[in-house]
Amino acid sequence: MTTAIYSAEITPEIVAQHGLKPEEYLRCCTIMGRAPNLTELGVFSVMWSEHCSYKSSKVHLKTLPTTGPKVICGPGENAGVIDIGDGQAAIFKIESHNHPSFIEPYQGAATGVGGILRDVFTMGARPIANLNALRFGSPDHPKTRHLVAGVVAGIGGYGNCVGVPTVGGETNFHPSYNGNILVNAMTVGLADADKIFYSAAAGPGNPVIYVGAKTGRDGIHGATMASAEFDDESEAKRPTVQVGDPFTEKLLIEACLELMAGDSIVAIQDMGAAGLTSSSVEMAGKGGLGLELDLDRVPVRETGMTPYEIMLSESQERMLMILKPGREADAQRIFQKWELDFAVIGRVTETGKLVLKMDGKTVAELPVEPLVSQAPQYQRPWEPTPAQPEITAASVAPPAGLSDALKQLLASPDIASKRWIWEQYDATVMGDTIQRSGGDAALVRVHGTTKGLALVTDCTPRYCFADPVRGGAQAVVETWRNITATGAMPLAITDNMNFGNPERPRIMGQFVGCIQGIREACIALDYPVVSGNVSLYNETNGQGILPTPVIGGVGLIDDVDKAVGIAPKFEGDSLILIGETRGHLGATLYLREISGREDGAPPEIDLAAERRNGDFVRDRILGGAVSACHDLSDGGLLIGIVEMAMAGGIGIAIEALPGEVPVHAAYFGEDQARYLVATNDADALLAAAKAASVPAMRLGRIAGAILTGPGLDAISVMELRRIHTGWLPAYMAAEPA
């Protein structure tokens, strides 16, 4: 077939409205041997959307390291699975809900949490922790305050009600997100390593089961919307935002886990993006089989729903599963006990086709294998980001006053405390949270054991914009340091690749560069990628976001009693700086907030130094030689010192600084591979560092209630905390301009 086939029902305009390019529609016609009907077109449109098919990114994602001795299941399933010993597995993933959250912040964020929870418990895991990574526009933008309030309320409202603690996250502000905020949600769960559930259909004749909530008209075309740019009319897309019910989700978790305790399930898949379409196609495709579904049997909550609406609805709290023959009645009893819908809606076939029936008629018939394997794959043209100049410390003017600069940075949107946000999240439900937001990584006990999982999300978009390769690597090493700073061993990551329009070569170059940096860092640190998500077209009217490849890291500590936080505990302890300080100021918060510049190359990433310094610090923590630890990142050394002082409610006297570096660069440079550690035996720790060829120096001591240091006014820790915690509550309480 050399030409596309159109009809009265399927016009070029209808095809364009479904997000398919003319050549993509031609491929549909070739596969079908005819023009698809509207339901079939809808199936193609969502399955071949950027959100579901990864058509611009898959070729590059394949270069990432995804295997390792701890990896049980890498990318390709609902979530990644790693071995944490003793027959247990951690299952985790991060996903985006960016476009829905901009249009309807409460429900967009809430259903983002609900969706990522289902990705995890559909594999047999009980969710034990949620995290998030949020990016908002300039605080001065008229919509920012409304979006912050709605997103935070949505995350808290869903997570708190469903009974899973929200233990960590990050929040940044930048004008590039004015028209397209980012809401990335991560869930971590626990399962028995020999009881993992997968999604590949098996067993021709086996029943196909629908469970959970009823299907409505909410969320139709959600996946397509997530694969397109915004414009001034985007708010009209509010009907494509799903509506969530966390109480139903809680019932669904318990019902699924109860059924999973037996051996009835052959395969299971949550209905996420593209709803019943994606779950059925993916299950059939992975199993190399077909499915026949009777849409009259699908539980619906609205009258007159068409096959198109039923298949494309993204109503929440729904699952699709395949059971062993004869197990339907037992499974139905469980779901009825939990007051959830249960319906046998079809069967597995050997036809290799997705056949949809309604009112006794076949309303759609599509070949599954080409629908999956022949989805467009693009090698998009890309341009590398031009190298930015390296900015020397001497070329950046010192501030009028170091203490004033410190206060200004502490109150700046990116560094200011996010306590106002995370206090709205229940972090203690389930009773296993040991460390929550406010430190380097959250720490959650593996229930009933001495083990703990260290969890974190992180990314520095300004670095990725200046140099995508360095920025991608830095996002990985930052999570590796965050986990290491607790005493845990980093095991694996999940990634959420948030970028603008991949059809613009410069944007595609940012994606390619960040993937390269992530790959290099993961290989160097034995820190594989086991799951993830790609969110493209994050731009409005041609204005793209900063490249934001968020990394979610998971680590393990065998004895949580050996873990440390960032708060110094003991008067008289010495404060030691681990790592080399050169005073790097390019692309730093100091340069942006104090000098009013957003230029320069980001810090160099020395992966060998990251590994060496981190392994040394972790060994010292586990050996009991360190009582507190904090990695250094945004804002540099002085911000790190102040964060430790505020966390501990204790003063720090800075008595020495790294030599040969201007004072303002020593304080505010963002050199990497560095940690601050508190110890009661500085001589022993410095000797051990020297023996391991790890740069280390004594900065000062923990004492009193005042911060002092070269060039600084004496400032009380209480005053620093007031400045640090004051900005966000005041901002959220202010009347809109």
Side-chain angles (χ1 to χ4, degrees), residues 5 8 21 145 164-165 176 207 232 307 349 363 372 379 422 424 445 456 547 662 672:
I5 303 173
K21 298 184 183 300
R145 187 181 287 104
V164 177
S176 74
D232 292 331
T349 70
V363 294
V372 175
Q379 182 71 263
W422 50 260
Q424 297 185 52
R445 183 190 303 273
V456 68
Q672 302 292 293

Side-chain angles (χ1 to χ4, degrees), residues 480 484 578 609-619 675:
W480 198 83
T484 292
I578 303 294
E610 292 283 359
R611 184 69 181 258
R612 180 194 66 220
N613 295 358
D615 288 348
F616 173 80
V617 167
R618 190 184 313 104
D619 287 346
Y675 302 80

Side-chain angles (χ1 to χ4, degrees), residues 4-29 35-38 41-42 44-46 48 221 224 308:
I5 303 173
Y6 295 98
S7 65
E9 184 183 40
I10 308 299
T11 65
E13 292 74 23
I14 292 293
V15 170
Q17 288 170 12
H18 281 73
L20 290 171
K21 298 184 183 300
E23 61 273 19
E24 294 173 340
Y25 178 65
L26 172 60
R27 185 178 296 196
C28 297
C29 295
N37 63 33
L38 186 62
L41 180 69
F44 272 108
S45 76
V46 293
W48 287 7
H221 277 308
T224 306
Y308 179 95

Side-chain angles (χ1 to χ4, degrees), residues 84-375:
I84 60 169
D86 305 309
Q88 295 176 306
I91 299 180
F92 60 99
K93 188 181 182 184
I94 190 169
E95 276 209 344
S96 60
H97 231 220
N98 303 335
H99 287 174
S101 299
F102 183 79
I103 293 171
E104 214 307 304
Y106 184 95
Q107 289 297 347
T111 52
V113 174
I116 195 63
L117 282 165
R118 288 193 299 280
D119 277 339
V120 167
F121 74 75
T122 191
M123 296 195 71
R126 176 169 292 281
I128 62 163
N130 288 330
L131 299 92
N132 53 73
L134 311 178
R135 299 298 188 297
F136 297 103
S138 169
D140 297 331
H141 191 273
K143 287 199 68 169
T144 299
R145 187 181 287 104
H146 161 73
L147 291 168
V148 173
V151 166
V152 171
I155 291 170
Y158 205 99
N160 295 354
C161 290
V162 84
V164 177
T166 300
V167 299
E170 53 166 350
T171 304
N172 292 150
F173 297 82
H174 191 275
S176 74
Y177 306 106
N178 281 348
N180 199 126
I181 64 172
L182 302 183
V183 176
N184 296 171
M186 177 177 171
T187 292
V188 183
L190 290 175
D192 292 337
D194 61 354
K195 196 83 170 177
I196 309 298
F197 290 83
Y198 298 99
S199 59
N206 283 348
V208 178
I209 312 296
Y210 171 117
V211 299
K214 288 180 169 60
T215 294
R217 290 189 171 97
D218 52 320
I220 294 173
H221 277 308
T224 306
M225 177 191 69
S227 305
E229 290 182 37
F230 274 169
D231 55 31
D232 292 331
E233 306 302 318
S234 291
E235 299 236 7
K237 297 179 180 178
R238 194 176 303 271
T240 62
V241 178
Q242 309 94 325
V243 177
D245 180 353
F247 299 105
T248 299
E249 182 98 340
K250 174 62 174 173
L251 299 177
L252 188 60
I253 292 173
E254 299 305 329
C256 286
L257 292 178
E258 183 174 339
L259 183 60
M260 287 167 169
D263 65 348
S264 298
I265 297 174
V266 174
I268 183 168
Q269 174 78 38
D270 85 293
M271 294 190 214
L276 185 53
T277 289
S278 63
S279 55
S280 56
V281 170
E282 288 172 8
M283 292 177 88
K286 290 175 182 176
L289 294 167
L291 295 183
E292 182 178 296
L293 304 181
D294 183 349
L295 301 187
D296 290 315
R297 298 182 180 181
V298 173
V300 295
R301 64 169 185 261
E302 301 182 46
T303 59
M305 289 191 70
T306 65
Y308 179 95
E309 291 172 328
I310 291 171
M311 291 304 294
L312 269 65
S313 168
E314 293 186 8
S315 295
Q316 298 292 285
E317 294 88 38
R318 303 178 301 157
M319 310 283 277
L320 195 67
M321 59 179 69
I322 295 169
L323 298 183
K324 294 178 180 178
R327 304 297 177 88
E328 297 93 326
D330 290 340
Q332 185 170 11
R333 277 194 292 272
I334 291 173
F335 281 89
Q336 286 180 339
K337 181 183 78 171
W338 291 101
E339 300 181 347
L340 295 167
D341 277 290
F342 177 99
V344 180
I345 66 168
R347 62 187 180 89
V348 180
T349 70
E350 294 182 292
T351 65
K353 294 181 178 181
L354 176 66
V355 178
L356 308 177
K357 296 190 174 183
M358 197 169 187
D359 297 328
K361 302 175 184 176
T362 297
V363 294
E365 185 172 333
L366 303 101
V368 172
E369 194 277 333
L371 181 60
V372 175
S373 68
Q374 294 183 37

Side-chain angles (χ1 to χ4, degrees), residues 385 463-473 509-515 517-518 547:
T385 298
Y463 291 174
C464 298
F465 181 75
D467 185 327
V469 178
R470 286 190 193 179
Q510 293 173 347
F511 182 90
V512 172
C514 285
I515 287 287
I518 292 170

